[in-house]
Amino acid sequence: AVMKTTMLTKFESKSARVKGLAFHPVRPWICASLHNGVIQLWDYRVGTVIDRFEEHDGPVRGVDFHLHEPLIVTGGDDYKIKVWDYKLRRCLFTLLGHLDYIRTVQFHPNATQFPWILSASDDQTLRLWDFQKRSCLSVLTGHNHYVMCASFHPSEDLIVSASLDQTVRVWDTAGLRKKQLGGSGLDEGYPGMMDVNGNRGGTSAAAATALNVQAELFGTNDVVVKYVLEGHDRGVNWAAFHPTLPLLASAADDRQVKLWRMSETKAWEVDTLRGHANNVSCCLFHPKQELVVSNSEDRSIRVWDVSKRVGVQTFRREGDRFWILAAHRSQNLLAAGHDSGMIVFKLERERPASAHGPGDKLYYVRGRELFCHDYSRATGGSSGVDVPIASLRRVGQQAQTDGIGSGPRFLSYNMHNPTEGNILVCSEVDGGCYELITFSLTNAGGSVTDGKRGSCLGPGVFLGRNRFAVLDRHKREIVVKNLNNETTKRVSAPVPNVDCLYDGGASGRIILRADDRAVLFEVQSRRVIGELTAPKIKNVVWSPDGSKVALLCKYGVVIANRQLEQLCSISDTVRIKSGAWDVSPTGGTNSNLFVYTTLHHVKYCLPTGDTGTIRTLDNPIYATRVVKDSLFCLDREARSRVISIDTTEARFKLALANKKYGQVMHMVKHSRLCGRAIVAYLQSKGFPEVALHFVRDPQTRFRLALACGNIEAAMESAFSLEQQQGADGKSRDVWGELGSEALRQGNHQVVEMSYQRKKDFDRLSFLYMLTGDNEKLRKMLKISNMRNDIMGRYHNALLLGDAAERVAVLEASGNLPLAYISANLHGLDEVAERIKVAIETQEGSVEGLMEKVPVGTKKGGRLLQPPTPIVRASNWPTLEIKKTTLEDLSAADAGDEYEEESAPAAAADTGASAGAAAWDDDFGMEDAGAGIGGDDDFDLGDDDMGWGDDLDGLGDIGGDDIAPDQVDDMAAFNEISGDVGFQMPPAGRPPAGCWVANSSHAADHMAAGGASSAMQLLHRQIAASDFSNLKGSMLGCYLGSTVSLPGVPGSGSMIVPLMRNDATVHPGNDSLPRTSSTMRSLVTGVRMGYKYFQTGKFNEARNAFTEVLSQIPLTVTDNRSQANEMKEMLEICREYITAIRLKEAITAAGADPVRSTELSAYFTHCNLQPVHLLLALRSAMGTAFKHKNFIVAASFARRLLELPDMRSERNADLRMKATKVLQRSEQMARNEHTLNYKENAAFSIDCKDFVPVYTGEECVKCSYCGSVYKGSSMKGQVCATDGFCTVGVETIGLVTGK
């Protein structure tokens, strides 16, 4: 039976009818010729039009790419053949000769040696053209109707043509080839034919012309007919050679595709492929598989098995007839043109099915064999050794044909079983199926057990040592099976539209793909652990240590932690093919560097979100393993390969992100890091001093040196730039910027030199006035006098306090009245008298001038003298700062590693005695367990990570002796004196001030006495608004941060601060207070809550959990592990408080059977410890059974029986009673009442009205504890769970560290 399926479309375009198609041999381009005369050049990888060519008049039916040159040939209904240069974007020339529509054009496959173009036309001829000489080589006559197509054989001297005269002709071009290569094959009957060099035989010019006309009209015998294939009943539209075998395929208007075989002497029909319902317009052999692909005006594309000679696939299109097919020469790509555009597609996915095994093993499928590739046995140049495991049997007719997607698509290896190998092989045959293969790990090719098959949707996932899960393709349920292929459990998916399962990274967990979401689901407890948005997920790759997961999407990668909380997300413009985590044992990249591949690149991604390109690829590969600078991968033929990659840039960024500065500087010194991208990256991350070590371009070095305040390096770069650019132009701007930075640092010696280089005389004079250098200020006065700068002279005289010079300047500039007033005021009587005479000589008068100047008042004129500087001659005082590791290359230690702190995980004691008096059994069952022994470990751990201090990129700002070059007008200056080296002592700060400055945690602010700032922080961070519940914890922080010591008799007590970071040395200004609330006290509170809850003392339990909730915001953690532990305790308190409030509501609603059953059901969905969940399920089962709601009673009974604790002897009676309830409920199988409860749907519980809030419904949350409220009525109200935070406010959330 022919399988109808959806094609793997890679690209689709919308345009006018496509009549011709051609793939570029190397680039991801396809050329389409349209019925409206336009030729479009598409990049099918990114889906954009690169170019358009529009010189043909009428439809263009034929198009082809040259194999090596940037040429395109086209033929159209305007009788013209055009050759285009797509780099120059124009038509190079036109070949004229055909007398009717041109159907197809093609370059010779070996166009470098034979510059030929073959064309077929409705004028009943084929023509061979030399496109270098731009002339016709040969005219092939013989058909007596339109010639619909013609093409060269890929390797032999043959041409095939198809015509509406119902024949297919095969032509032999050996004669023409010999003629082109030197004339050895010339027939002596044509002495006038032209040879390679254009010389003719010994005939006259007239005879030669006559022979030319004869060749033009009737053809020559350079190309002769070898076979004429007759068998079609209607006109033949297409014929094509097999790429390697002596086979032909032809397509005709009789709706048939025929196969023909050729020998040296004859050709004959092999078989006829029937199935099309209209004219077959085109057909071709698949370049890599034994398949024939044909398309038709019946709007379908059909795939035929050449060996079996039957149809195996059909692709249909609504409303569009197909006209043309094309196949890529080297890739598994096909293209089809139709009435409204074209499609580029594949017949099967080319990703080899593979899965990681234990240690250094990779399991993969090649052909119909399952192999184990052992990386540990790699020898020089090879990636390892292949060990065959088993042959895969294929079931069903479609599965027997290769190349149409019948092979395995997914492999899953059972990492939970150390004793034997289990592999699930999943394929998409017959809608999806799996096969379980079991083999010995010690003798891999020996005892193999297979044959355990079933149907599924997508890949299967192993949940444990002897369990695996598949997705039921009809009901979309998660089906759990054992290794005997027996179904043990069916679990409904927590979200709708689940279409795929992936490994969840731990035993019992799976990742569900639903729409554009990924959901981490725990099958045993049926709870959703995490959820994030990831569109079009294709694969999931877990890191070796299981701490991170990379979700490979169609156009991006999302990296999350083990709880499926997103760490970063990146997007790409081309499709992501594969990815692998680094497993290098050293270097710090293990599980922190993710390498992924696209069609043509290898790229990397870090959990911080940083990305980059590592190298390019000639062909797509599928990454399986990364070790240091080697990428192990599989190619599309499932051959294991290893390629070299350079991950230096990624390791550099990772070390910088992890603050391993020693490693950073070692890489700067010993690695080839360069490029603007790295420099820009370092600047964006606030580390310009690192880039300064390896950048050599003066302009870039100058910018970096200014950014990190390195005056010496900036000055060196400025000198280099001045030599390059000359003394004028941009170099002056450089000195101006350097002067501004030096002035900011108080290095006035460099400022002076910069102003001198820039010739900024006004600023230079002001600088000398500030530094008290009157001698140089006088030289500035001389310089302005030499430059005839009147304003400069006056300003310098004013700064110097030289009244005589000011008067002289005013007199020289013609301002005699001002000069007179100035001379009079400053007691220069002789000068004043002389000026008075000059004024009167010019018929002026000095009468009344002095009356305009108030004398003896504050507004009156007075002599200005230069101020006396505090520090003379040397740079202004600065505090000496030690160079950071990032600046001082010699101080960097390459082996610098951060020590990871370890914190023991807290254990929760559920109590030795469990009194179940408060847990009512509504159906009269006895208490099953007298005691619950042992500790319940609530695993709150995560990888510890030290809290590193950020290093300020401060430069070394000590002054050096600088001897600037003396230029132009500045030759009179002396050298600048050296640095005296005075340092201002640092000022001290009180402990409370340090605590507030060093931390953003409310507990530290409260310990310092800053109640107002602590409350503001809590309000901003967790939307706290009612502080009455926090009063005790806040006062505890304040009182617990200090200790009072009695002083000497007669004096008051001394208040001594208690610090938490003074274990080894006094922290100084970095001190932080000790707080009264610790992780140990929180754990104790949670344990007490567990104990009270177990014994049925719900009021005491609620008080204990509420107390922990009020202490958590004022508890400071030491590391990330404790922070994660605290957040889990916050969730535990919320769940248990909600459960207790539900229990109270159940008691209050005892008379209402519907409400009490609903509340009991919600109670079982609180995230409780297993021993407490057992009690909740027992109570809910009794309530539902008592009120005759048998469907939900059966559900509770099943969940109860699935709990691990039910297998113990102490719960034997309860197990028996639950079994009876289940049997009775399954017999009755009805609910007495309609309940607002969907067992299989994921929901949260409204903490106000106790109703379910399903996924997608409007709700608001408490930003602190995460309590959910349906609708928006609670927005702005105080949370009912914690009692002090406002609901519906978006905040940053709980701050756990300093």
Side-chain angles (χ1 to χ4, degrees):
V2 176
M3 185 188 75
K4 297 178 177 62
T5 183
T6 331
M7 63 174 60
L8 299 173
T9 305
K10 295 296 176 183
F11 166 69
E12 186 165 359
S13 75
K14 299 292 183 184
S15 65
R17 181 185 302 167
V18 175
K19 300 296 287 183
L21 286 173
F23 280 102
H24 192 281
V26 179
R27 294 180 177 172
W29 295 353
I30 188 168
C31 199
S33 59
L34 310 183
H35 196 265
N36 63 4
V38 177
I39 300 141
Q40 294 179 334
L41 183 57
W42 288 87
D43 186 322
Y44 54 79
R45 187 177 60 188
V46 294
T48 56
V49 176
I50 299 171
D51 216 335
R52 293 163 59 92
F53 306 101
E54 302 184 20
E55 288 188 18
H56 276 287
D57 186 12
V60 184
R61 301 177 187 272
V63 65
D64 192 29
F65 275 105
H66 193 284
L67 271 180
H68 308 292
E69 302 293 330
L71 301 178
I72 298 172
V73 61
T74 58
D77 285 7
D78 53 4
Y79 314 167
K80 295 176 182 177
I81 298 171
K82 289 182 177 286
V83 176
W84 313 77
D85 188 314
Y86 55 74
K87 281 189 177 178
L88 300 178
R89 304 178 65 184
R90 64 184 179 86
C91 176
L92 298 180
F93 55 88
T94 302
L95 300 173
L96 299 175
H98 279 296
L99 306 174
D100 208 335
Y101 296 169
I102 297 168
R103 294 285 178 174
T104 63
V105 288
Q106 185 191 6
F107 284 108
H108 193 280
N110 186 9
T112 306
Q113 188 174 11
F114 301 103
W116 298 353
I117 292 173
L118 173 64
S119 60
S121 169
D122 284 2
D123 63 8
Q124 304 181 15
T125 68
L126 290 75
R127 285 182 180 247
L128 280 168
W129 309 81
D130 186 323
F131 62 82
Q132 288 182 350
K133 297 178 181 178
R134 306 183 186 183
S135 62
C136 180
L137 292 174
S138 185
V139 181
L140 282 61
T141 58
H143 285 293
N144 52 31
H145 208 307
Y146 300 165
V147 184
M148 299 301 288
C149 90
S151 63
F152 288 106
H153 192 282
S155 57
E156 298 181 18
D157 296 326
L158 297 175
I159 290 173
V160 65
S161 61
S163 168
L164 293 188
D165 63 8
Q166 303 180 17
T167 68
V168 174
R169 290 178 178 247
V170 179
W171 310 76
D172 189 343
T173 60
L176 185 62
R177 175 179 60 83
K178 292 174 184 176
K179 176 181 173 182
Q180 286 289 100
L181 289 177
S184 58
L186 286 178
D187 191 329
E188 294 185 4
Y190 286 85
M193 288 302 295
M194 189 180 294
D195 63 14
V196 172
N197 299 315
N199 300 318
R200 298 185 180 275
T203 56
S204 65
T209 305
L211 284 173
N212 244 2
V213 172
Q214 179 184 346
E216 181 72 19
L217 292 175
F218 304 109
T220 67
N221 67 346
D222 293 336
V223 182
V224 297
V225 176
K226 194 169 185 180
Y227 317 113
V228 178
L229 309 179
E230 297 177 328
H232 283 289
D233 299 330
R234 296 277 185 90
V236 186
N237 291 317
W238 204 266
F241 285 114
H242 191 283
T244 56
L245 299 176
L247 292 177
L248 275 169
S250 60
D253 286 346
D254 58 8
R255 306 178 183 180
Q256 297 173 358
V257 177
K258 287 186 181 289
L259 295 177
W260 314 78
R261 182 174 288 276
M262 302 180 295
S263 69
E264 284 299 319
T265 57
K266 62 177 181 176
W268 62 96
E269 182 179 335
V270 176
D271 209 342
T272 301
L273 307 176
R274 296 179 174 86
H276 280 294
N278 206 333
N279 301 342
V280 188
S281 50
C282 188
C283 68
L284 51 79
F285 286 96
H286 193 283
K288 293 187 177 182
Q289 306 289 345
E290 292 305 308
L291 301 171
V292 169
V293 184
S294 62
N295 64 9
S296 164
E297 295 178 40
D298 65 4
R299 302 175 177 83
S300 74
I301 298 174
R302 288 179 180 261
V303 182
W304 315 83
D305 189 319
V306 173
S307 57
K308 299 181 181 59
R309 298 166 192 169
V310 294
V312 290
Q313 272 185 327
T314 301
F315 307 113
R316 297 197 181 278
R317 187 174 184 88
E318 295 298 325
D320 291 318
R321 296 167 295 175
F322 284 103
W323 298 103
I324 186 71
L325 280 170
H328 199 285
R329 292 174 184 268
S330 57
Q331 297 182 26
N332 186 19
L333 285 176
L334 300 170
H338 52 77
D339 282 336
S340 59
M342 66 163 170
I343 46 176
V344 178
F345 63 99
K346 288 182 179 181
L347 295 182
E348 67 171 351
R349 302 184 190 275
E350 296 179 278
R351 181 195 311 274
S354 65
H356 286 283
D360 296 331
K361 291 183 172 57
L362 173 76
Y363 293 89
Y364 68 95
V365 175
R366 183 195 305 145
R368 303 194 181 192
E369 290 285 331
L370 174 64
F371 289 91
C372 172
H373 188 78
D374 193 344
Y375 292 115
S376 63
R377 296 163 64 182
T379 56
S382 73
S383 61
V385 176
D386 284 331
V387 180
I389 302 294
S391 294
L392 303 177
R393 289 181 294 171
R394 297 188 182 177
V395 179
Q397 179 183 349
Q398 182 214 350
Q400 306 308 314
T401 301
D402 291 327
I404 57 170
S406 55
R409 177 141 184 238
F410 307 105
L411 281 194
S412 298
Y413 182 85
N414 189 358
M415 301 292 283
H416 311 291
N417 190 352
T419 58
E420 64 179 4
N422 312 119
I423 287 183
L424 279 172
V425 183
C426 303
S427 71
E428 295 181 335
V429 176
D430 299 329
C433 62
Y434 69 87
E435 178 181 2
L436 176 63
I437 296 176
T438 303
F439 55 91
S440 169
L441 290 175
T442 55
N443 183 16
S447 55
V448 177
T449 307
D450 60 358
K452 295 171 183 174
R453 295 181 172 85
S455 63
C456 67
L457 181 64
V461 176
F462 285 98
L463 296 177
R465 187 180 62 82
N466 56 0
R467 294 178 299 143
F468 67 91
V470 293
L471 188 64
D472 187 297
R473 67 188 188 208
H474 301 297
K475 297 182 180 179
R476 301 293 173 94
E477 288 182 327
I478 302 163
V479 183
V480 181
K481 301 193 175 192
N482 58 23
L483 295 186
N484 293 323
N485 207 24
E486 299 165 343
T487 301
T488 60
K489 186 193 299 185
R490 285 181 173 267
V491 179
S492 297
V495 292
N497 302 327
V498 173
D499 59 0
C500 198
L501 304 183
Y502 295 109
D503 183 19
S507 176
R509 291 183 176 185
I510 54 176
I511 291 178
L512 309 175
R513 182 179 74 186
D515 298 324
D516 284 345
R517 291 179 297 161
V519 180
L520 182 60
F521 182 64
E522 194 166 71
V523 177
Q524 182 67 33
S525 62
R526 306 190 185 196
R527 66 189 180 103
V528 173
I529 298 171
E531 182 178 331
L532 56 77
T533 301
K536 299 180 180 178
I537 301 172
K538 299 297 180 186
N539 201 4
V540 165
V541 185
W542 284 91
S543 63
D545 62 1
S547 63
K548 301 179 187 70
V549 61
L551 306 177
L552 299 185
C553 305
K554 192 173 184 179
Y555 292 105
V557 178
V558 179
I559 294 183
N561 61 13
R562 61 162 58 96
Q563 303 298 330
L564 212 63
E565 296 167 342
Q566 182 172 312
L567 300 178
C568 74
S569 174
I570 62 157
S571 58
D572 212 318
T573 53
V574 294
R575 302 186 187 207
I576 310 294
K577 288 297 179 185
S578 65
W581 288 94
D582 188 289
V583 296
S584 305
T586 59
T589 55
N590 191 310
S591 300
N592 283 313
L593 169 60
F594 185 71
V595 175
Y596 66 96
T597 66
T598 63
L599 274 172
H600 296 293
H601 290 94
V602 178
K603 301 184 178 183
Y604 69 85
C605 173
L606 303 179
T608 56
D610 292 318
T611 63
T613 301
I614 296 176
R615 62 167 289 171
T616 57
L617 295 170
D618 295 330
N619 294 302
I621 58 171
Y622 300 93
T624 57
R625 175 184 171 93
V626 180
V627 182
K628 294 185 178 177
D629 283 342
S630 295
L631 172 63
F632 297 86
C633 56
L634 294 172
D635 60 19
R636 282 181 162 171
E637 283 70 42
R639 302 284 178 186
S640 186
R641 296 173 52 197
V642 55
I643 63 173
S644 61
I645 57 175
D646 184 1
T647 57
T648 306
E649 180 184 315
R651 287 186 278 113
F652 176 78
K653 291 182 179 180
L654 189 62
L656 199 62
N658 293 337
K659 301 184 179 178
K660 296 181 179 178
Y661 298 126
Q663 187 178 343
V664 168
M665 298 314 298
H666 183 269
M667 295 177 73
V668 167
K669 191 174 181 181
H670 297 96
S671 301
R672 295 178 60 189
L673 284 167
C674 59
R676 293 183 180 177
I678 283 288
V679 174
Y681 175 80
L682 289 167
Q683 281 193 279
S684 68
K685 296 294 182 181
F687 297 110
E689 60 271 28
V690 179
L692 196 60
H693 283 297
F694 57 84
V695 172
R696 293 291 170 262
D697 176 54
Q699 185 71 44
T700 310
R701 276 186 66 82
F702 180 75
R703 299 290 174 204
L704 292 171
L706 287 186
C708 58
N710 192 332
I711 295 297
E712 289 80 3
M715 198 158 52
E716 178 188 344
S717 301
F719 279 121
S720 300
L721 286 170
E722 187 179 55
Q723 289 176 359
Q724 291 179 6
Q725 301 171 353
D728 298 329
K730 294 183 179 179
S731 64
R732 291 196 176 186
D733 298 334
V734 169
W735 288 113
E737 293 178 41
L738 177 60
S740 300
E741 178 61 24
L743 191 63
R744 192 182 67 82
Q745 294 190 19
N747 192 336
H748 64 74
Q749 296 170 349
V750 176
V751 176
E752 178 186 357
M753 186 198 66
S754 301
Y755 289 166
Q756 289 173 7
R757 296 268 174 183
K758 193 182 177 185
K759 296 184 179 179
D760 194 340
F761 299 108
D762 293 340
R763 284 190 170 92
L764 198 55
S765 298
F766 193 69
L767 177 70
Y768 290 147
M769 188 269 292
L770 287 178
T771 56
D773 198 337
N774 292 343
E775 182 181 350
K776 290 184 179 177
L777 198 53
R778 290 195 178 280
K779 290 181 181 178
M780 290 301 301
L781 179 60
K782 291 179 183 178
I783 290 170
S784 57
N785 198 9
M786 289 160 52
R787 295 174 60 241
N788 293 322
D789 182 4
I790 294 295
M791 287 306 296
R793 282 181 63 192
Y794 188 79
H795 284 152
N796 284 309
L798 190 65
L799 297 176
L800 278 168
D802 189 341
E805 180 65 23
R806 280 164 52 201
V807 172
V809 172
L810 290 171
E811 189 178 3
S813 62
N815 293 290
L816 295 179
L818 286 175
Y820 175 76
I821 294 172
S822 183
N824 234 330
L825 278 176
H826 296 101
L828 302 173
D829 297 333
E830 294 180 5
V831 177
E833 193 62 33
R834 178 169 52 80
I835 296 173
K836 177 181 176 183
V837 172
I839 292 174
E840 290 175 346
T841 303
Q842 297 176 7
E843 299 181 357
S845 172
V846 297
E847 295 295 331
L849 283 178
M850 297 307 297
E851 296 175 2
K852 298 177 181 179
V853 182
V855 180
T857 64
K858 288 184 179 181
K859 293 183 180 180
R862 64 192 63 208
L863 181 62
L864 295 177
Q865 292 293 337
T868 304
I870 300 172
V871 180
R872 189 185 292 271
S874 65
N875 287 333
W876 292 323
T878 55
L879 183 65
E880 193 72 29
I881 298 176
K882 182 182 177 182
K883 287 187 177 182
T884 64
T885 308
L886 293 176
E887 289 179 284
D888 193 359
L889 193 58
S890 61
D893 178 15
D896 179 26
E897 296 288 341
Y898 265 11
E899 294 181 4
E900 292 189 351
E901 299 175 4
S902 59
D909 184 5
T910 59
S913 62
W919 299 88
D920 299 329
D921 294 338
D922 291 329
F923 52 96
M925 292 186 175
E926 292 292 326
D927 185 13
I932 308 298
D935 292 341
D936 284 327
D937 226 5
F938 51 99
D939 180 15
L940 309 177
D942 201 348
D943 296 337
D944 295 343
M945 186 173 291
W947 296 84
D949 294 327
D950 288 333
L951 299 174
D952 295 328
L954 300 176
D956 183 2
I957 54 177
D960 295 327
D961 291 343
I962 304 168
D965 294 338
Q966 309 302 324
V967 292
D968 300 338
D969 302 327
M970 311 307 293
F973 285 103
N974 298 323
E975 293 185 357
I976 299 173
S977 60
D979 191 353
V980 173
F982 171 80
Q983 295 181 7
M984 185 73 72
R989 290 162 68 187
C994 296
W995 298 347
V996 171
N998 294 339
S999 175
S1000 60
H1001 200 288
D1004 294 332
H1005 283 247
M1006 192 63 215
S1012 175
S1013 63
M1015 288 191 286
Q1016 286 179 0
L1017 284 173
L1018 289 172
H1019 178 68
R1020 291 171 187 157
Q1021 292 166 1
I1022 60 173
S1025 56
D1026 185 354
F1027 291 94
S1028 58
N1029 290 341
L1030 295 172
K1031 182 177 180 181
S1033 301
M1034 294 177 75
L1035 287 176
C1037 278
Y1038 175 64
L1039 297 174
S1041 63
T1042 56
V1043 63
S1044 177
L1045 296 178
V1048 296
S1051 67
S1053 299
M1054 293 182 293
I1055 304 299
V1056 179
L1058 299 175
M1059 290 174 278
R1060 64 173 181 265
N1061 58 343
D1062 60 349
T1064 56
V1065 68
H1066 193 284
N1069 286 343
D1070 297 328
S1071 66
L1072 290 167
R1074 187 169 297 178
T1075 53
S1076 58
S1077 179
T1078 62
M1079 287 297 296
R1080 183 174 298 177
S1081 62
L1082 296 181
V1083 171
T1084 303
V1086 171
R1087 284 179 178 171
M1088 291 301 297
Y1090 281 159
K1091 184 176 180 180
Y1092 290 136
F1093 192 89
Q1094 182 74 27
T1095 56
K1097 299 177 180 178
F1098 297 119
N1099 286 332
E1100 289 85 346
R1102 180 173 180 178
N1103 291 337
F1105 288 120
T1106 304
E1107 179 65 19
V1108 174
L1109 273 185
S1110 67
Q1111 289 179 0
I1112 285 176
L1114 296 162
T1115 305
V1116 182
T1117 58
D1118 295 330
N1119 50 51
R1120 186 168 295 179
S1121 174
Q1122 288 189 1
N1124 292 336
E1125 192 175 334
M1126 182 190 289
K1127 289 178 180 177
E1128 288 221 23
M1129 278 194 276
L1130 176 61
E1131 294 179 8
I1132 289 169
C1133 292
R1134 180 195 68 217
E1135 293 294 319
Y1136 273 85
I1137 290 174
T1138 304
I1140 294 167
R1141 294 179 61 224
L1142 277 167
K1143 187 65 179 173
E1144 294 171 353
I1146 291 170
T1147 305
D1152 185 350
V1154 177
R1155 185 59 176 159
S1156 60
T1157 307
E1158 288 176 348
L1159 293 171
S1160 299
Y1162 305 154
F1163 192 12
T1164 66
H1165 286 267
C1166 293
N1167 189 8
L1168 308 178
Q1169 294 291 315
V1171 66
H1172 302 149
L1173 183 60
L1174 183 146
L1175 299 172
L1177 284 168
R1178 187 180 71 177
S1179 175
M1181 180 176 69
T1183 303
F1185 191 82
K1186 171 186 170 183
H1187 295 309
K1188 299 181 181 180
N1189 293 310
F1190 296 112
I1191 296 176
V1192 291
S1195 165
F1196 298 141
R1198 285 193 204 97
R1199 289 175 59 191
L1200 191 59
L1201 290 170
E1202 289 172 5
L1203 289 178
D1205 287 352
M1206 290 296 289
R1207 297 170 188 164
S1208 63
E1209 282 301 317
R1210 67 171 180 269
N1211 289 326
D1213 292 341
L1214 179 58
R1215 185 167 65 246
M1216 183 175 66
K1217 292 172 184 177
T1219 305
K1220 291 180 180 178
V1221 170
L1222 179 60
Q1223 292 173 350
R1224 176 66 174 162
S1225 299
E1226 287 177 342
Q1227 290 172 359
M1228 304 304 293
R1230 289 289 186 274
N1231 278 343
E1232 182 72 17
H1233 308 99
T1234 302
L1235 304 176
N1236 183 16
Y1237 172 61
K1238 299 176 184 177
E1239 176 203 358
N1240 298 327
F1243 64 85
S1244 304
I1245 301 171
D1246 184 328
C1247 292
K1248 179 188 177 187
D1249 300 325
F1250 300 125
V1251 294
V1253 182
Y1254 295 103
T1255 304
E1257 292 185 341
E1258 182 188 2
C1259 64
V1260 291
K1261 289 186 177 182
C1262 173
S1263 58
Y1264 169 52
C1265 68
S1267 296
V1268 178
Y1269 299 91
K1270 192 169 185 177
S1272 57
S1273 61
M1274 278 294 288
K1275 189 170 184 179
Q1277 306 296 317
V1278 175
C1279 177
T1281 303
D1282 54 54
F1284 53 84
C1285 290
T1286 304
V1287 174
V1289 179
E1290 185 176 351
T1291 68
I1292 196 172
L1294 180 66
V1295 175
T1296 57
K1298 72 179 182 66

